[in-house]
Amino acid sequence: MIHLHHARGSRSFRVLWLLEELGLSYALTEYDFTDGSLRSPEHLARSPAGKVPALEIDGGTIFESGAIVQVLTEREGRLAPKPGEAERTAFLEWLHFAETQAICLQNLNIQHNFIRPEAARSIPTMKLETKRLVVTARALERRLTGRDHLLDGGFSAADCMFGFNVRSLGYFLPRGDYPAIFAWWERMQARPACARALEREGGEMFDRDFFEIPDA
Ligand SMILES: N[C@@H](CCC(=O)N[C@@H](CS)C(=O)NCC(=O)O)C(=O)O
């Protein structure tokens, strides 16, 4: 049995979507970031820093979304170029670039949502992380301009890596500035596996459409 340890609106959406694309059956346990369950001894045994995703599979546990995605594609022999095949390097670059971008998204999420009291939130950090996010979004926009997927060869697990990112991105940057990114996301949501993953997760990530940086 495959078992995904998951939190709504988190990087574990990458794995949820890929499991659906691969047609694998799985159990799902959902965590709340605020109740301490990610730091329980049971979960720390799965993920040493107490994060999601973690995946139990074939008698072992894998942490780190990029590693999970790579292991799953290699296990199934699908949705990723193999070593020596065309676009293998591009696949690995974009797989890992998703984390370069995700760290900006995470920092913005922490600043806009998690830090309490609100007066402790840092407007300079919000501005800096937004600028850093723009650099990554422009890179992704360039990559997706004139391409249907991250790779020229078609849909791959690299696209799944950006599922979490692009869902979050539009809350921090104007969607209209990134037409290729959001056209890609429309195409991805039309994939039955992506739609199933979104439905299984349920609901929007945040309680508003956009996070404005407050006036100083
Ligand atoms: N590089 C890791 C990052 C994992 C990560 O930071 N996950 C976040 C959710 S997006 C998390 O579990 N946060 C909970 C916490 O830090 O307490 C990956 O890609 O799996």
Side-chain angles (χ1 to χ4, degrees), residues 10-12 14 33 38-39 50-53 63-66 99 106 164:
S10 81
R11 288 167 173 93
S12 53
R14 297 164 171 169
F33 289 137
L38 287 174
R39 300 294 186 275
K51 308 286 185 191
V52 284
F63 58 92
E64 286 292 329
S65 59
E99 273 302 277
Q106 176 175 303
F164 157 73

Side-chain angles (χ1 to χ4, degrees), residues 3 21 24 40 121 124 137 173:
H3 187 161
E21 292 283 352
L24 297 169
S40 69
R121 296 177 184 179
L173 299 181

